[in-house]
Amino acid sequence: MMKNLVIVESPSKAKTIQKFLGDDFVVTSCMGHIRDLPSNDQAIDVANNFTPVYEVSDDKRKIVSELKKLADKSDMVWLASDEDREGEAIAWHLSEALKLDPAKTQRIVFHEITKSAILNAIKNPRNIDISLVDAQQARRVLDRLVGFGLSPVLWRKISRNLSAGRVQSVAVRLVVERERDIQNHEQSSQYKITAEFSVGEKTVTAELPHRFDTEPEAQAFLERCIGAEFAVINLETKPSKKTSSAPFTTSTLQQEASRKLGFSLSRTMKIAQDLYEQGLITYMRTDSVNLSTLAIDAAQAEVTSQYGAEYSSPRNYTTKVASAQEAHEAIRPTEFGTKTAGESETHKRLYDLIWKRAIASQMSDAQLERTIATISISTTSETLTATGEVLLFDGFLKVYMESTDEDSDAEDSKILPPLTIGMNLPLNLMKALERFSRPPSRFTEASLVKKLEELGIGRPSTYAPTISTIQARNYVVKEDRGGRQREVISLIMVNKVINRNVDIETTGVEKSKLFPTDIGSVVTDFLTEHFTQIMDYNFTATVEKQFDEIAEGKVQWTKMIGDFYFPFQKTVKLTAETAERQSGERLLGTDPKSGKNVYVRLARYGPIAQIGDANDEEKKQKGLMPTQSIETITLEDAMELFKFPRVLGDLEGKPMVVKVGRFGPYVEHDGTFASIPKEEDPLTVDTERALVLVIERRKVLLERTIKDFESDPPVKILKGRWGPFISVGKQNVKIPKGTDPATLTLENCMELAAQQAPPPKPKRGSKAAAETDAAGKPAKKAVKKATKKATKKATKKAVKKTVKKDVEKSE
């Protein structure tokens, strides 16, 4: 008999923990969740008080079987999954699936993978917390009911293959509403007055406290200042300080890693998971900013040792999130004495960020002195103000400075030279610069997480998956987009002469920002109109609070689900019966040539422009470009789309054609498709440029081609991002490990393609169709038979055509 079996989620975590426990313990992994709801509408027994019907997924059956054997041989089983609700649910599912004896089962939790933490957890086991399990079940069941309730309605009323969710749909709504705020922003401009003075070898920059609305007002002010004398009439010095930020929570780590390191949310969480499982940081899914007494003491010792006692300021922080419950501590290093750690450069960069933030949180405030100088103008009663800042003691700034998402017009405070009251200041120049009002900033992944957290929507474990999901569903895209140019007026007075300049600046450049797609906007409008409760920010936040109450044992989860479900189901039924189909259609105007109406709307494969009404048999349609939207496109832009396809010159006797497809503009030539870069206008691409694009694309294709069999369907062996693969028509086929791609024959390729081909869809009334199971899937025997027949036929056809071509070539 084996004495102790410890089950954790991942192999790397098991490997780390095994080092801390003796030979009496075997640590193994369950590889995450072992059971889940099946992907059909039978997963929840609504009539039986919303009982979930769980099943062991196919890829986990072998793991469960092995774990069951190990558990049966053990005197004691220790369930050591993560300490949050998800981890508690995994422990419960293990207990149920493995049929563990409660007398021989212990639940242990820890928030860092260190020897002391693991041994302490072994000394202090507990039972599975059913309230935490119920909270996780409630979330899973509610989200399934919402998703399976809304998605079919969207399929019927908008388009197939759409989905909706309690959190994801609200996240999309935030992005859609922000975009509309930006589009509705009415730009205005004002004139900012600044003056530069010489003080010895240094320059002092001062600013007029208010701005002028018009150019003539700014011009008049500069004219009043011609020949004026300027003097310091007041000096005000104020002490100020900057305090360090709290240690990282999940959301603040995601935000700061995005700003400082350029990491996506999912990448940050993957790297943090690795660091946690290697025992380098504490648990990475937390909304607490609290540090343990041991951690504070360790940080104090490190600060004092590295920087001196004057830099140490031990403190604890209060969590602003009232329902913080995901873990006991903020994210911090397990050993403050380890300044660098991680298996790769990427891991080291994130670890460095976590170390600096945690250590800075235990350091002294930065002490500053802020000086404000008021400067008089002899020809007017108005005054200028110069502001400077002196860093007296750097404190935590010696280690860390937090970033921000917000753009700002404000200049960094500068150090002022010594000034005295009454000092005359020689004027170098005075300038009136036109400044424009700014619309709200588009969301980045990080700032969207911040907004969700502010609204109380979601939890540390759901932020990254939610934002990944809305992008995967193509409701939101993360893109860089170029700006537009605009004129900026500046009036500059030097030596009593005012010159007017008109410069060109680029505005609206976006990098890694979130934009709603047309389908995202249409779905949001439909759900907001018909499912007001689901799309309400307060409702989503209230549900999170109810989950917290379930976790605390205050509320029965099935009652909470019932209170929501039955009214929701009535709304689903009513909407399905009465709501009209939605396409986001807009009438732009009329076609100058035909006089027909011009519309933009959503179609089956995306947004289109259309000349002619729906019942017009001669209507014309063109897809919009990826950067265009049915909400903002103009009639002029829509009419430009109908200039495609553009036939350019010939290459090797065949035309090069500029087209616009679902993924953007491209040049097509003899089966080669060359994308036109985003920054280029497809309407201006000429024959010479098209030739360059086609030749460049050919080179790329040639470099990635290992073998080309010139068969029908086309069969090629290509180099891919994840290694070589076979392309058979539209099917991509994996090459078995250890196989040299260059040795594969056409017959080998066709065999592999047949083995990996999806089951053919049986025709209605056919024998295969009759041999379907209750779930509507073809019976294995019928599928196997049909696949074997299709394989034989396809291989024979491809080989025959290839042999024929070879014979023709030899002749």
Side-chain angles (χ1 to χ4, degrees):
M1 286 287 285
M2 187 167 58
K3 288 189 177 180
N4 295 282
L5 174 67
V6 180
I7 305 177
V8 297
E9 289 102 328
S10 72
S12 57
K13 189 175 174 182
K15 188 177 178 182
T16 304
I17 293 174
Q18 185 69 72
K19 297 175 187 175
F20 305 139
L21 299 174
D23 295 335
D24 289 343
F25 289 82
V26 171
V27 186
T28 190
S29 164
C30 65
M31 303 295 288
H33 280 279
I34 59 166
R35 297 198 311 179
D36 199 0
L37 299 173
S39 55
N40 57 48
D41 56 5
Q42 306 300 313
I44 299 164
D45 188 349
V46 174
N48 192 20
N49 207 17
F50 304 100
T51 301
V53 180
Y54 294 109
E55 65 177 23
V56 176
S57 52
D58 291 339
D59 60 329
K60 294 295 177 69
R61 292 188 187 279
K62 187 177 179 182
I63 293 172
V64 170
S65 176
E66 291 172 353
L67 289 174
K68 175 71 173 153
K69 290 175 184 176
L70 290 172
D72 290 343
K73 295 177 184 177
S74 304
D75 292 337
M76 182 65 67
V77 178
W78 305 80
L79 302 176
S81 48
D82 292 338
E83 61 176 335
D84 56 12
R85 295 172 191 171
E86 207 72 22
E88 203 71 20
I90 289 174
W92 178 75
H93 281 296
L94 283 167
S95 177
E96 294 288 307
L98 303 181
K99 296 181 171 57
L100 298 179
D101 181 354
K104 296 169 55 181
T105 305
Q106 298 280 17
R107 171 78 171 117
I108 55 172
V109 294
F110 39 85
H111 62 273
E112 62 181 51
I113 304 177
T114 59
K115 186 171 184 177
S116 59
I118 300 302
L119 294 179
N120 185 59
I122 294 288
K123 290 178 183 176
N124 297 281
R126 62 169 172 81
N127 295 323
I128 292 172
D129 189 331
I130 293 300
S131 294
L132 290 179
V133 175
D134 286 347
Q136 192 273 344
Q137 284 196 116
R139 178 186 294 278
R140 190 77 183 90
V141 168
L142 181 63
D143 289 347
R144 171 58 66 90
L145 292 172
V146 171
F148 270 55
L150 295 181
S151 297
V153 178
L154 295 179
W155 285 37
R156 290 177 62 182
K157 302 301 179 181
I158 300 177
S159 181
R160 293 183 65 81
N161 299 322
L162 296 179
S163 73
R166 182 182 56 85
V167 177
Q168 77 172 49
S169 297
V170 173
V172 175
R173 181 185 177 186
L174 283 169
V175 178
V176 169
E177 290 183 344
R178 177 62 59 89
E179 187 65 26
R180 288 174 178 165
D181 287 343
I182 293 167
Q183 299 301 333
N184 294 332
H185 173 73
E186 294 185 6
Q187 182 177 276
S188 61
S189 66
Q190 291 183 314
Y191 288 81
K192 175 184 176 182
I193 306 294
T194 57
E196 294 181 6
F197 304 96
S198 292
V199 179
E201 296 181 357
K202 295 189 176 181
T203 299
V204 172
T205 300
E207 184 178 329
L208 193 69
H210 65 88
R211 299 185 180 189
F212 295 107
D213 292 330
T214 65
E215 183 183 346
E217 289 177 305
Q219 174 84 20
F221 178 80
L222 294 185
E223 289 173 354
R224 289 199 299 274
C225 294
I226 293 176
E229 292 183 353
F230 302 86
V232 178
I233 58 172
N234 188 49
L235 284 171
E236 186 178 355
T237 302
K238 293 180 178 179
S240 65
K241 67 178 182 179
K242 288 184 179 178
T243 303
S244 59
S245 300
F248 283 131
T249 61
T250 301
S251 67
T252 55
L253 175 63
Q254 290 171 335
Q255 292 164 46
E256 196 73 339
S258 173
R259 292 186 291 240
K260 284 190 183 295
L261 307 179
F263 290 176
S264 66
L265 303 188
S266 55
R267 188 182 186 196
T268 297
M269 294 310 293
K270 172 67 177 69
I271 299 166
Q273 177 99 24
D274 292 343
L275 293 174
Y276 167 67
E277 291 181 351
Q278 291 160 21
L280 299 173
I281 64 170
T282 52
Y283 191 53
M284 66 287 155
R285 279 189 276 273
T286 174
D287 46 17
S288 170
V289 293
N290 181 50
L291 291 179
S292 67
T293 303
L294 286 174
I296 292 173
D297 292 344
Q300 181 181 11
E302 180 65 19
V303 171
T304 303
S305 169
Q306 292 291 323
Y307 310 108
E310 68 274 20
Y311 281 90
S312 177
S313 179
R315 70 188 84 183
N316 219 331
Y317 293 82
T318 304
T319 302
K320 294 179 181 178
V321 182
S323 59
Q325 42 73 37
E326 298 286 355
H328 302 298
E329 275 200 86
I331 302 169
R332 62 166 176 82
T334 54
E335 297 289 341
F336 280 100
T338 305
K339 293 182 71 172
T340 304
E343 59 189 8
S344 70
E345 191 58 35
T346 303
H347 288 82
K348 289 174 183 175
R349 291 176 70 199
L350 189 66
Y351 178 85
D352 179 67
L353 190 67
I354 293 168
W355 186 90
K356 287 179 176 176
R357 176 76 165 232
I359 206 79
S361 75
Q362 300 303 305
M363 294 178 71
S364 304
D365 295 342
Q367 302 296 329
L368 305 102
E369 185 177 79
R370 188 174 178 84
T371 301
I372 303 171
T374 305
I375 301 167
S376 66
I377 308 170
S378 63
T379 56
T380 177
S381 60
E382 299 201 66
T383 59
L384 302 169
T385 302
T387 304
E389 207 170 58
V390 177
L391 183 63
L392 302 176
F393 175 65
D394 54 3
F396 76 94
L397 294 177
K398 196 174 192 72
V399 173
Y400 182 81
M401 169 66 85
E402 186 177 11
S403 302
T404 176
D405 287 311
E406 301 302 319
D407 298 323
S408 175
D409 268 347
E411 297 179 5
D412 292 335
S413 294
K414 298 176 180 177
I415 297 175
L416 294 177
L419 299 173
T420 57
I421 293 177
M423 178 186 286
N424 289 322
L425 302 176
L427 179 70
N428 292 338
L429 64 85
M430 184 175 282
K431 177 167 60 176
L433 179 64
E434 186 178 21
R435 305 300 293 171
F436 294 88
S437 60
R438 294 185 177 187
S441 298
R442 287 184 173 89
F443 285 114
T444 61
E445 287 187 343
S447 61
L448 181 55
V449 165
K450 185 177 181 181
K451 187 65 177 179
L452 289 170
E453 187 178 39
E454 287 173 359
L455 293 171
I457 297 169
R459 281 291 179 263
S461 58
T462 64
Y463 297 138
T466 296
I467 292 174
S468 294
T469 297
I470 64 177
Q471 292 178 66
R473 296 290 185 188
N474 199 37
Y475 291 154
V476 169
V477 292
K478 182 172 74 170
E479 290 184 346
D480 299 343
R481 291 192 183 176
R484 57 182 178 81
Q485 293 187 325
R486 68 183 176 195
E487 294 184 343
V488 181
I489 298 169
S490 61
L491 307 173
I492 302 175
M493 181 177 73
V494 179
N495 296 327
K496 302 180 181 179
V497 177
I498 300 174
N499 293 308
R500 183 180 189 271
N501 300 316
V502 179
D503 299 314
I504 302 296
E505 72 174 12
T506 302
T507 183
V509 176
E510 301 286 20
K511 186 170 177 60
S512 296
K513 293 294 181 69
L514 299 178
F515 296 83
T517 62
D518 285 318
I519 191 68
S521 298
V522 172
V523 167
T524 295
D525 289 342
F526 180 83
L527 293 176
T528 303
E529 179 182 355
H530 297 287
F531 296 93
T532 311
Q533 182 187 32
I534 295 292
M535 298 298 284
D536 183 73
Y537 300 130
N538 290 330
F539 166 74
T540 311
T542 300
V543 167
E544 295 294 345
K545 291 176 184 174
Q546 289 177 319
F547 290 152
D548 295 338
E549 290 174 347
I550 293 168
E552 293 165 8
K554 297 178 180 177
V555 175
Q556 276 287 329
W557 75 272
T558 50
K559 182 182 184 305
M560 175 257 185
I561 297 293
D563 290 344
F564 162 80
Y565 177 73
F566 295 110
F568 168 70
Q569 194 59 24
K570 288 180 181 177
T571 306
V572 168
K573 187 178 179 182
L574 180 66
T575 304
E577 292 172 353
T578 61
E580 296 181 356
R581 284 189 63 85
Q582 299 291 315
S583 66
E585 183 177 276
R586 280 179 65 219
L587 173 63
L588 299 182
T590 56
D591 174 19
K593 291 183 180 179
S594 66
K596 294 180 179 180
N597 288 333
V598 180
Y599 302 92
V600 283
R601 64 180 179 84
L602 274 180
R604 184 177 181 183
Y605 296 112
I608 62 166
Q610 177 177 300
I611 298 176
D613 295 330
N615 56 1
D616 186 345
E617 293 183 1
E618 297 181 353
K619 60 180 176 286
K620 299 176 182 177
Q621 297 177 338
K622 291 291 178 182
L624 269 59
M625 294 189 192
T627 55
Q628 293 176 324
S629 166
I630 59 178
E631 293 197 5
T632 58
I633 191 172
T634 62
L635 175 63
E636 292 73 21
D637 291 336
M639 295 310 299
E640 292 288 296
L641 296 170
F642 291 92
K643 294 180 181 179
F644 297 101
R646 293 177 55 230
V647 180
L648 304 178
D650 283 3
L651 172 62
E652 299 165 351
K654 294 185 179 180
M656 293 181 291
V657 185
V658 178
K659 296 183 176 181
V660 176
R662 289 174 67 190
F663 304 107
Y666 62 95
V667 179
E668 181 182 353
H669 173 265
D670 194 23
T672 297
F673 303 91
S675 296
I676 297 173
K678 280 184 181 180
E679 60 272 14
E680 295 185 34
D681 184 352
L683 285 168
T684 63
V685 172
D686 56 16
T687 302
E688 187 177 338
R689 178 57 179 152
L691 181 62
V692 171
L693 291 170
V694 170
I695 290 173
E696 286 178 350
R697 180 60 181 163
R698 280 182 178 179
K699 285 180 182 177
V700 171
L701 292 174
L702 191 62
E703 288 171 0
R704 67 188 287 244
T705 302
I706 299 172
K707 267 190 176 183
D708 186 349
F709 292 103
E710 297 184 0
S711 57
D712 184 17
V715 178
K716 297 179 182 180
I717 303 176
L718 304 171
K719 296 175 186 174
R721 185 179 178 186
W722 312 113
F725 69 98
I726 303 166
S727 172
V728 181
K730 294 183 179 180
Q731 182 188 359
N732 290 337
V733 181
K734 293 179 183 178
I735 297 175
K737 285 184 180 179
T739 303
D740 182 357
T743 64
L744 292 172
T745 64
L746 176 62
E747 290 84 352
N748 297 150
C749 293
M750 296 306 295
E751 280 181 27
L752 289 170
Q755 290 167 12
Q756 298 176 34
K761 292 182 180 179
K763 295 177 182 177
R764 282 186 184 177
S766 68
K767 187 176 179 183
E771 294 174 339
T772 55
D773 59 22
K777 297 177 182 177
K780 289 182 180 179
K781 196 173 181 181
V783 172
K784 192 174 179 181
K785 186 177 178 182
T787 304
K788 189 175 179 181
K789 188 177 178 181
T791 303
K792 192 174 179 182
K793 188 177 179 182
T795 305
K796 190 174 179 181
K797 182 181 177 184
V799 172
K800 188 176 179 181
K801 291 211 171 194
T802 305
V803 170
K804 186 180 177 183
K805 283 187 178 180
D806 290 343
V807 170
E808 287 172 351
K809 284 180 183 178
S810 65
E811 290 175 348

